[in-house]
Amino acid sequence: MGKRIRKLKKQRIHREGTGTLTYSMACIAAVAFLLHWFEVGPAVFWAFVAVFGTVWAIVLNFYRCPKREFAGDTELVVVAPADGKVVVVEEVQENEYFHDRRLMISIFMSLFNVHANWFPVDGRVKFVKHRDGNFHKAWLPKASEENEHADVMITTPEGEDILCRQIAGAMARRIVTYAKEGEECFIDEHLGFIKLGSRVDVYLPLGSEPCVKVGQFTTGDLTVLAKLPQ
């Protein structure tokens, strides 16, 4: 599919957060008005405004949805599906779908990261599956298989199957997946969204060349994770 030129809609706040941000701001404003109305004192009033204003700002930061577009040829390229920190780059045995060895790259998203997820490759969505599970801390190795997660399998134009797994964490309780079975998908498009701290794993065929290392920070839709084998 290669490089595409198309216009992207500018969106500063993700649609998953508009309701939460609006209602929470309304509640904070209502309580602040009541505190002022009943003259509880400036210390209490400003302490409330400072604490809950800071919390609201953190939530606002969490729901950021920056406009991004990958620059360059997308052929055989795997980009980061999320903002965060690389916690795993290793060969693993994947027995649920592939039943063979795969290169797994995992990105942990903290509360302060953008939590929108992007498609890591161009291709077509082969299937989307949701699995119920536990809510271990997302950076733990067992989280990949035991935590609640959503699996999106993408077949690239070259015929490689790439698995992208959205994983719930200790705080995350909602995984949103926009990918639909049978649809074409492209780098630059949103795959989904995970609320609060969480993780995204990408399973690649052996022979893929990793372009990141453990401890490195990624920018979703911009950082190149790996190059697929020719």
Side-chain angles (χ1 to χ4, degrees):
M1 296 183 184
K3 177 64 181 175
R4 303 161 315 286
I5 300 175
R6 59 183 194 281
K7 295 181 179 179
L8 300 179
K9 183 183 292 185
K10 189 173 183 179
Q11 187 177 16
R12 296 186 180 275
I13 301 300
H14 200 281
R15 66 191 186 193
E16 296 294 336
T18 52
T20 299
L21 291 168
T22 300
Y23 296 139
S24 59
M25 174 56 77
C27 290
I28 292 171
V31 174
F33 174 79
L34 292 174
L35 291 175
H36 178 74
W37 179 266
F38 288 106
E39 298 181 347
V40 296
V44 175
F45 175 80
W46 287 113
F48 173 83
V49 171
V51 171
F52 285 91
T54 300
V55 171
W56 191 87
I58 292 173
V59 176
L60 176 65
N61 178 74
F62 170 83
Y63 282 113
R64 286 179 298 130
C65 188
K67 175 184 175 182
R68 293 174 182 168
E69 185 173 5
F70 182 76
D73 194 345
T74 60
E75 187 177 1
L76 300 178
V77 169
V78 182
V79 302
D83 288 16
K85 182 179 180 180
V86 177
V87 293
V88 176
V89 180
E90 65 182 16
E91 288 186 18
V92 298
Q93 180 69 25
E94 204 292 316
N95 290 321
E96 186 170 0
Y97 303 115
F98 299 110
H99 304 285
D100 63 12
R101 303 287 292 178
R102 292 275 146 171
L103 173 66
M104 183 176 78
I105 301 179
S106 301
I107 300 170
F108 172 72
M109 294 177 286
S110 75
L111 178 63
F112 301 100
N113 290 125
V114 170
H115 272 55
N117 299 152
W118 286 264
F119 284 103
V121 293
D122 290 340
R124 185 175 295 276
V125 178
K126 190 172 185 178
F127 62 75
V128 179
K129 295 183 180 180
H130 182 273
R131 307 288 189 192
D132 293 330
N134 297 315
F135 296 94
H136 300 302
K137 294 178 181 178
W139 60 80
L140 296 176
K142 61 183 178 181
S144 182
E145 294 183 357
E146 296 184 11
N147 277 22
E148 179 176 343
H149 58 270
D151 292 337
V152 179
M153 187 74 78
I154 305 163
T155 303
T156 69
E158 294 75 32
E160 293 282 5
D161 283 342
I162 308 299
L163 176 63
C164 186
R165 174 170 290 168
Q166 298 173 283
I167 303 170
M171 296 177 64
R173 289 291 188 260
R174 187 181 178 205
I175 299 173
V176 182
T177 305
Y178 305 137
K180 302 296 182 184
E181 182 176 331
E183 290 185 349
E184 279 192 314
C185 59
F186 300 94
I187 291 171
D188 294 340
E189 294 180 345
H190 283 167
L191 176 146
F193 192 93
I194 312 178
K195 296 190 175 182
L196 299 182
S198 43
R199 168 174 162 177
V200 179
D201 294 347
V202 180
Y203 291 81
L204 307 173
L206 293 187
S208 299
E209 177 187 354
C211 299
V212 294
K213 58 184 179 180
V214 173
Q216 181 176 335
F217 289 92
T218 63
T219 302
D221 196 43
L222 296 181
T223 302
V224 175
L225 285 189
K227 301 288 183 65
L228 297 174
Q230 296 280 352

